[in-house]
C-alpha cells in the first residue's frame, strides 16, 4: 500500500489506461474524485474523500442514510428498541451478512454482535488492543461526545447488542449512521493482531459493503470489484474506479472526454459549457452546509458584541454571493441551513449598512477603526468555492468603515491546526452537516464544549443551556422551540458573519442511471447502473 509520489505517477500512466480498457469489457464505473483518502478505516477519518473511499463502498453501519437523503433506515441492525427513559438501546442484528474475502482474509463466520462491540470498544476503550493502532485518534467519536454519552455496550447474544447511555441523547441513532461508526470485523482484527500486522485492519480493509478494495495507487487510483455476496444484492456493474483528480478543470475535461462517468464539484465558471453538452447531466441541489467568517471573541476588539455586529453590517453579502458563488448560493442568516428542521425564519439578518456600522464602531470606542487580520481558506470546499476572492471582497468592504485588514493563509492542515489553537483574529470556515439534526451544527460548532477549539471560541451560557437541553429532550416540538430560541441568541451575539449556503453541483455522463446526490456530501454508487 505504500508508494511514493513518483512511483504512483509512473504506475498510473503505465497501468491505468490499458487496465480500464480491459475492464470496459465488463462494466466499469469511473468516478473522478477530488482527493485521496487519509485511511481506509473511516473510524480514523475526518475528510469526505476518506469516507467516499472507505465507508461508502466497503463498510456498513448499524443505522444508515438512504441514498440521496438525510433519512435514516436500518443497516446492519434490522430493528431496535429504546427504553422509556431513553437510556437503553437494544439492537437486533441482521443475520446471514457475509464479510468480504480478500487476499489477507477468508472469513469463517458471518457478521455478529462481537463485531459491533469490537468496533465501538476500539474507539472507546484505551485498554482495547487496537485503540492506539494507526495513531489512536477518533475525531468523530470524540466530537459527538461518545466517551461521555456511552455507559456500556454489551453482547446479549450473537444477534443482539445492548447500548446503555449515561443520559438521554435524542440524536443518538442519527449519530450511529455517521461513517465513522462503520462496523469492522473482529475475526479479521484478531488474525492481524496475532500475525503482528494490526495496521492491516486500516490499510487492507474488510467490510460487509457493496465493493471490495482491489488496490490503491496513492493520490492516483483506487480500484474496487463488486461484492457478489453483498447482503442487499450485488452492484449492477463489475468494477468501480476512483480516478483521483484534484483540479476541477481537469475533472471537467475528463468527463467531457468520457474518461469518467461521475465527477464531483465542478468550477461554477465551467457549468454553462457542461450544461450544453448533451452527453452529460448536471445535477444540482441546495447544499446542507454553511460558510461563515468567525470572530475570535477571546481577542480584542472581537470580545465586544457591538464590534461583531458592526462588522456584520459592514460586509456586502449580496455582492459576495454574486462575485464568489456566481449566484449559486443563498445568503446565510442562521448557522443552520434552511432545509433543516427548526430553522428559524423569524430571525432577521443584519442589513448591509456601512453608516450604521461606523456608528456602532464609534460607540464601541473605535471611531477611527482598527487593524486586524483575516485568514482565508487555501482550498476549495463545497461551501466556499474561492476563499481568497471572498477575503479580498471582505477586505475592501471593511476598509470603508475604517477597519484595515491584512489577509493571511496557510497550507490547509496548518490552517486548521492554528485555528484550533486560536491564533487567528477573523477566519473563514464552513460546515457540511453529517446528520440531519440541528445538534450537528449548533452543539458541534457553537456550544461551550466546542469553544475550546472552535473558530469563534464563543461560549454563551444562554445559548449553551438551550442546545444542551435540546439534546436531552425527545419531543421534537420542544426541541424545535429550544433551537429556534438559540438561533435568536446567536444572531444577537453575532460570533460569526454568516456568509452562504451554497448550491452543490455534480456531473454524470448521460448513460449513468440511478445516481443520487447526497445532501451530506458523500458519493454512493451501490444503486447505480450504466446503460
Amino acid at each position: 500500500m505504500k508508494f511514493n509520489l513518483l512511483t504512483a505517477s509512473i504506475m498510473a500512466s503505465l497501468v491505468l489506461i490499458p487496465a480500464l480498457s480491459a475492464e470496459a469489457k465488463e462494466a466499469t464505473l469511473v468516478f473522478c474524485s477530488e482527493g485521496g483518502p487519509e485511511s481506509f478505516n473511516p473510524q480514523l477519518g475526518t475528510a469526505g474523500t476518506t469516507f467516499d473511499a472507505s465507508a461508502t463502498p466497503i463498510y456498513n453501519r448499524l443505522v444508515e442514510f438512504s441514498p440521496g437523503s438525510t433519512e435514516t433506515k436500518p443497516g446492519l441492525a434490522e430493528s431496535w428498541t429504546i427504553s422509556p427513559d431513553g437510556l437503553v438501546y437494544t439492537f437486533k442484528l441482521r443475520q446471514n451478512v457475509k464479510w468480504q474475502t480478500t487476499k489477507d482474509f477468508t472469513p469463517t463466520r458471518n457478521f455478529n454482535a462481537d463485531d459491533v462491540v469490537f468496533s465501538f470498544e476500539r474507539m472507546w476503550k484505551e485498554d482495547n488492543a487496537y485503540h492506539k493502532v494507526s495513531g489512536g485518534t477518533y475525531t468523530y467519536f470524540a466530537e459527538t461526545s461518545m466517551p461521555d454519552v456511552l455507559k456500556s455496550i454489551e453482547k446479549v447474544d450473537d444477534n443482539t447488542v445492548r447500548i446503555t447511555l449515561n443520559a438521554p441523547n435524542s440524536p443518538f441513532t442519527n449519530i450511529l449512521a455517521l461513517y465513522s461508526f462503520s462496523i469492522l470485523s473482529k475475526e479479521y482484527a484478531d488474525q492481524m493482531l496475532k500475525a503482528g500486522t494490526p495496521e492491516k485492519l486500516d490499510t487492507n480493509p474488510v467490510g460487509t459493503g457493496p465493493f471490495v478494495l482491489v488496490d490503491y495507487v496513492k493520490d492516483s487510483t483506487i480500484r474496487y470489484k463488486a461484492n457478489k455476496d453483498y447482503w442487499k444484492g450485488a452492484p449492477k456493474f463489475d468494477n468501480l474506479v476512483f480516478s483521483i483528480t484534484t483540479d476541477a478543470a481537469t475533472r471537467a475535461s475528463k468527463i467531457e472526454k468520457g474518461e469518467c462517468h461521475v465527477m464531483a464539484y465542478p468550477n461554477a465558471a465551467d457549468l454553462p459549457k457542461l450544461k450544453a453538452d448533451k452527453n452529460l447531466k448536471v445535477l444540482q441541489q441546495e447544499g446542507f452546509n454553511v460558510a461563515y467568517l468567525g470572530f475570535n471573541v477571546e481577542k480584542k476588539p472581537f470580545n465586544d458584541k457591538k464590534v461583531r455586529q458592526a462588522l456584520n453590517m459592514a460586509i456586502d453579502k449580496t455582492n459576495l454571493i454574486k462575485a464568489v458563488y456566481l449566484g449559486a448560493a443563498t445568503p446565510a442568516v442562521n448557522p443552520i441551513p434552511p432545509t433543516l428542521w427548526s430553522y428559524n425564519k423569524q430571525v432577521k439578518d443584519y442589513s448591509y449598512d456601512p453608516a450604521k456600522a461606523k456608528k456602532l464602531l464609534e460607540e464601541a470606542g473605535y471611531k477611527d477603526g482598527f487593524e486586524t487580520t483575516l485568514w482565508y481558506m487555501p482550498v476549495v470546499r463545497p461551501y466556499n468555492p474561492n476563499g481568497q476572492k471572498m477575503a479580498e471582497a471582505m477586505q475592501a468592504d471593511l476598509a470603508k468603515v475604517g477597519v484595515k485588514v491584512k489577509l493571511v493563509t496557510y497550507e490547509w492542515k496548518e490552517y486548521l491546526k492554528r485555528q484550533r489553537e486560536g491564533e487567528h483574529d477573523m477566519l473563514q470556515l464552513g460546515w457540511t452537516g453529517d446528520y440531519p439534526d440541528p445538534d450537528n451544527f449548533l452543539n458541534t460548532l457553537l456550544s461551550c464544549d466546542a469553544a475550546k477549539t472552535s473558530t469563534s471560541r464563543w461560549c454563551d451560557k444562554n445559548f449553551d443551556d438551550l442546545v444542551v437541553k435540546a439534546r436531552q429532550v425527545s419531543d421534537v416540538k420542544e426541541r424545535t422551540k429550544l433551537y429556534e430560541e438559540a438561533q435568536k441568541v446567536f444572531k444577537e451575539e453575532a460570533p460569526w458573519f454568516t456568509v452562504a449556503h451554497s448550491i452543490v453541483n455534480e456531473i454524470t455522463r448521460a448513460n449513468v442511471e440511478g445516481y443520487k446526490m447526497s445532501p451530506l456530501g458523500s458519493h454512493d454508487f451501490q444503486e447505480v447502473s450504466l446503460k
Side-chain angles (χ1 to χ4, degrees):
M1 274 301 167
K2 295 181 179 177
F3 299 83
N4 61 42
L5 290 177
L6 177 60
T7 304
S9 175
I10 293 171
M11 289 190 69
S13 63
L14 294 178
V15 177
L16 176 60
I17 295 174
L20 288 181
S21 176
E23 287 167 355
K25 295 175 182 176
E26 297 182 307
T28 298
L29 186 141
V30 182
F31 171 50
C32 278
S33 64
E34 77 279 19
E38 304 153 280
S39 163
F40 281 98
N41 180 353
Q43 295 179 328
L44 300 163
T46 58
T49 49
T50 298
F51 300 138
D52 278 348
S54 61
T56 307
I58 298 171
Y59 295 103
N60 292 110
R61 291 143 292 284
L62 292 178
V63 183
E64 299 193 332
F65 294 112
S66 296
S69 167
T70 57
E71 294 181 4
T72 55
K73 64 177 183 177
L76 290 175
E78 61 182 9
S79 65
W80 55 88
T81 59
I82 307 172
S83 63
D85 62 4
L87 295 178
V88 181
Y89 289 66
T90 303
F91 294 90
K92 297 300 292 184
L93 306 183
R94 200 174 296 278
Q95 299 185 47
N96 301 316
V97 174
K98 297 183 183 303
W99 287 103
Q100 297 168 357
T101 297
T102 69
K103 61 182 177 60
D104 296 302
F105 178 61
T106 300
T108 65
R109 64 166 176 80
N110 291 338
F111 157 75
N112 69 25
D114 290 327
D115 303 311
V116 179
V117 174
F118 164 73
S119 298
F120 277 75
E121 288 194 341
R122 174 181 176 169
M123 296 185 284
W124 184 24
K125 303 286 188 182
E126 291 190 7
D127 61 354
N128 181 282
Y130 267 89
H131 187 72
K132 296 294 185 185
V133 172
S134 303
T137 300
Y138 308 97
T139 302
Y140 269 73
F141 191 78
E143 289 188 348
T144 53
S145 303
M146 283 300 112
D148 296 326
V149 169
L150 296 176
K151 182 176 183 179
S152 66
I153 176 167
E154 308 162 77
K155 172 184 175 179
V156 178
D157 57 42
D158 277 353
N159 302 311
T160 310
V161 167
R162 181 189 299 129
I163 299 178
T164 304
L165 311 184
N166 285 311
N169 189 295
S170 289
F172 185 64
T173 51
N174 278 326
I175 291 172
L176 293 186
L178 293 178
Y179 296 123
S180 293
F181 290 80
S182 293
I183 303 301
L184 281 59
S185 164
K186 184 178 187 302
E187 183 184 18
Y188 179 45
D190 288 343
Q191 286 191 17
M192 293 303 101
L193 191 65
K194 187 176 181 181
T197 56
E199 69 282 354
K200 280 192 173 182
L201 185 70
D202 306 323
T203 59
N204 299 17
V206 169
T208 56
F211 297 96
V212 182
L213 180 68
V214 175
D215 60 37
Y216 171 43
V217 179
K218 183 174 170 49
D219 297 330
S220 174
T221 311
I222 311 171
R223 295 171 183 274
Y224 309 84
K225 64 179 180 182
N227 178 5
K228 303 297 185 186
D229 296 322
Y230 185 45
W231 56 276
K232 294 182 187 177
K236 298 172 184 172
F237 51 90
D238 303 290
N239 306 292
L240 173 64
V241 175
F242 279 27
S243 180
I244 299 170
T245 311
T246 55
D247 180 69
T250 305
R251 290 199 299 275
S253 175
K254 290 174 78 168
I255 200 164
E256 285 180 302
K257 295 175 184 174
E259 295 176 6
C260 52
H261 297 93
V262 180
M263 72 160 282
Y265 314 132
N267 287 324
D270 292 332
L271 285 174
K273 182 182 176 185
L274 296 170
K275 287 179 178 177
D277 190 333
K278 294 180 180 179
N279 295 312
L280 303 177
K281 292 187 281 189
V282 177
L283 309 180
Q284 191 175 69
Q285 69 179 13
E286 289 186 25
F288 191 57
N289 61 39
V290 62
Y292 59 88
L293 178 72
F295 306 120
N296 187 343
V297 303
E298 290 185 339
K299 290 187 175 183
K300 289 185 177 180
F302 305 105
N303 59 335
D304 190 326
K305 181 172 72 175
K306 286 186 177 179
V307 170
R308 303 194 297 268
Q309 291 175 333
L311 299 194
N312 265 274
M313 297 175 188
I315 299 173
D316 186 346
K317 192 175 298 187
T318 302
N319 182 55
L320 284 183
I321 302 296
K322 289 180 182 175
V324 178
Y325 295 86
L326 304 182
T330 55
V333 177
N334 292 314
I336 64 175
T339 52
L340 185 57
W341 63 271
S342 89
Y343 181 87
N344 192 337
K345 296 179 181 178
Q346 304 306 314
V347 171
K348 300 297 182 187
D349 204 2
Y350 295 95
S351 300
Y352 174 55
D353 191 340
K356 193 171 181 181
K358 290 187 73 170
K359 186 179 179 184
L360 268 180
L361 286 175
E362 184 175 348
E363 290 175 10
Y366 297 96
K367 180 180 178 182
D368 298 322
F370 56 88
E371 294 184 9
T372 188
T373 63
L374 189 159
W375 293 19
Y376 66 87
M377 294 170 56
V379 295
V380 173
R381 300 302 300 146
Y383 47 77
N384 188 341
N386 193 326
Q388 182 174 354
K389 191 171 185 178
M390 182 184 291
E392 289 169 351
M394 291 175 166
Q395 182 187 44
D397 285 343
L398 294 173
K400 295 173 186 173
V401 298
V403 177
K404 297 177 182 177
V405 173
K406 178 183 177 183
L407 301 185
V408 176
T409 194
Y410 296 96
E411 179 272 331
W412 185 225
K413 187 175 178 181
E414 182 71 12
Y415 183 92
L416 295 174
K417 174 178 173 290
R418 289 173 180 261
Q419 173 265 317
R420 286 192 292 269
E421 292 170 354
E423 293 186 16
H424 57 285
D425 296 320
M426 299 187 289
L427 180 142
Q428 293 176 355
L429 210 57
W431 186 255
T432 297
D434 297 307
Y435 52 93
D437 194 298
D439 179 80
N440 185 234
F441 287 82
L442 301 178
N443 219 326
T444 302
L445 304 178
L446 292 158
S447 67
C448 287
D449 280 347
K452 299 166 189 168
T453 56
S454 69
T455 304
S456 63
R457 307 177 85 81
W458 177 66
C459 174
D460 182 277
K461 188 175 185 311
N462 291 334
F463 179 93
D464 199 61
D465 286 348
L466 290 164
V467 297
V468 169
K469 184 177 180 182
R471 191 177 218 194
Q472 297 176 353
V473 171
S474 58
D475 183 81
V476 174
K477 286 185 178 179
E478 187 176 351
R479 292 188 74 201
T480 296
K481 288 180 181 177
L482 293 165
Y483 287 133
E484 287 177 343
E485 189 63 27
Q487 289 167 72
K488 291 181 187 175
V489 176
F490 167 86
K491 207 64 192 177
E492 169 65 21
E493 295 296 323
W496 297 353
F497 171 79
T498 49
V499 179
H501 309 291
S502 73
I503 294 172
V504 179
N505 295 284
E506 293 180 8
I507 314 297
T508 75
R509 296 287 297 178
N511 64 332
V512 174
E513 294 189 331
Y515 179 76
K516 297 176 182 175
M517 288 183 71
S518 167
L520 305 174
S522 62
H523 298 90
D524 187 342
F525 303 106
Q526 62 179 300
E527 296 183 359
V528 175
S529 62
L530 297 170
K531 282 196 292 186

